[in-house]
Amino acid sequence: MSRKRVLSSKEFGVAAACAAALAGALLAPAPASADPMVPPTHAGFDYQIGGAYTPPQGVQVVTRDQSASPAAGLYNICYVNTFQAQPGAESQWDSDLLLRDASGNIVYDTEWKEALLDIRTAEKRERIMAKVGAWIDGCRDHGFQAIEPDNYDSYLRSGGLLSTTDAQEFIKLQSARAHSDGLAIGQKNTADLAANRVANGLDFAITEECGQYEECGTYTAAFGDNVIVIEYTDTGLANACAGWGDRLSIVQRDVLVSPAGSADYVRQTC
């Protein structure tokens, strides 16, 4: 039979202090990584921003919306729409943070019915980051390893009101916040700015239809094999697989990125 030893008052004080320190360490936020872990290359990937479901066999990396929970045991990327308001969410932003044309009308991404955010000044970028930064922190708190900030290329849909400089200044704020949270950050599309990825603090790339439009080489020139490819057509998938199937993570999804079991669900790989 074991015997419990009674501690002296001095020993008890030391033990209590150690226990308190340990508890504080366990409860404190994890320190930010100086070199956030990027997704594994040439890995099975699934794009689930339209709704989470059990990842297919062989998937190692998954992107899910910030409102979803990460997939257990996988590398999880958190999708966040940071350059445009979600459809119908204009009222969630201060009126002057919505990009407006010369007539005062809100400028929209007409394909997805999303209002563009006005990132033209440092003051507005900081105010937008107050909300976006909280979203990035939420990705960290939920257990994601990286973020995917969408619509980096919104300047292309701004009617000339936004510039590439505006976009890069804003993505730098997001990169800094992600890295301070220990998260990697992916460049979404925007092939024209891929060469600037180091200056902009971007760790890997997520591209839509680089096979379809023969742009995959632009991303690999900047990011090496740290490129995730999403195609939406059979032709795009065939092109991506033929040129890059032995190096990159490639998947074909339906345009609505529907959950498995939906009538529109499509998922194919090389």
Side-chain angles (χ1 to χ4, degrees):
M1 181 182 293
S2 63
R3 179 184 295 176
K4 182 186 292 185
R5 186 171 72 87
V6 178
L7 297 177
S8 70
S9 59
K10 180 177 180 180
E11 290 173 320
F12 183 82
V14 172
C18 290
L22 177 60
L26 292 174
L27 292 173
S33 171
D35 188 16
M37 181 175 66
V38 298
T41 60
H42 194 218
F45 174 70
D46 201 14
Y47 203 46
Q48 299 190 2
I49 65 172
Y53 52 89
T54 301
Q57 186 174 3
V59 168
Q60 298 170 262
V61 181
V62 64
T63 291
R64 287 180 171 176
D65 186 77
Q66 66 179 106
S67 63
S69 297
L74 304 184
Y75 186 102
N76 287 270
I77 303 169
C78 185
Y79 171 92
V80 188
N81 190 359
T82 61
F83 285 81
Q84 299 179 180
Q86 289 291 91
E90 292 88 341
S91 63
Q92 297 178 19
W93 295 91
D94 290 344
S95 178
D96 68 317
L97 294 181
L98 301 174
L99 186 68
R100 296 177 185 274
D101 62 21
S103 299
N105 297 315
I106 296 173
V107 179
Y108 281 91
D109 176 342
T110 54
E111 182 176 3
W112 298 104
K113 298 179 173 61
E114 296 179 351
L116 274 62
L117 298 176
D118 189 349
I119 55 172
R120 289 178 292 182
T121 69
E123 186 267 341
K124 288 187 176 182
R125 290 191 291 267
E126 290 289 350
R127 287 168 58 202
I128 294 170
M129 269 303 297
K131 186 186 294 286
V132 169
W135 291 343
I136 295 172
D137 294 347
C139 292
R140 172 203 62 196
D141 295 343
H142 280 97
F144 287 91
Q145 287 79 43
I147 64 166
E148 175 192 331
D150 200 10
N151 293 307
Y152 183 28
D153 60 356
S154 63
Y155 60 88
L156 295 172
R157 298 178 289 280
S158 71
L161 294 174
L162 300 178
S163 69
T164 57
T165 298
D166 298 329
Q168 291 177 98
E169 289 302 313
F170 191 43
I171 203 70
K172 288 175 185 177
L173 296 179
Q174 296 172 58
S175 298
R177 185 62 162 262
H179 291 159
S180 72
D181 282 345
L183 303 175
I185 178 171
Q187 172 172 320
K188 179 70 172 292
N189 298 325
T190 326
D192 291 346
L193 300 182
N196 301 337
R197 70 99 167 178
V198 173
N200 292 329
L202 299 163
D203 304 306
F204 63 100
I206 298 178
T207 80
E208 291 175 303
E209 302 194 285
C210 73
Q212 181 75 22
Y213 296 107
E214 300 183 353
E215 293 179 330
C216 297
T218 300
Y219 293 100
T220 58
F223 292 90
D225 289 352
N226 291 308
V227 178
I228 293 171
V229 179
I230 305 146
E231 297 292 338
Y232 297 113
T233 67
D234 293 341
T235 299
L237 179 66
N239 290 345
C241 291
W244 308 96
D246 61 343
R247 292 178 54 185
L248 307 183
S249 302
I250 302 172
V251 70
Q252 179 186 358
R253 290 300 328 270
D254 56 282
V255 174
L256 297 177
V257 203
S258 309
S262 302
D264 296 322
Y265 174 77
V266 172
R267 184 180 185 276
Q268 302 288 338
T269 59
C270 298

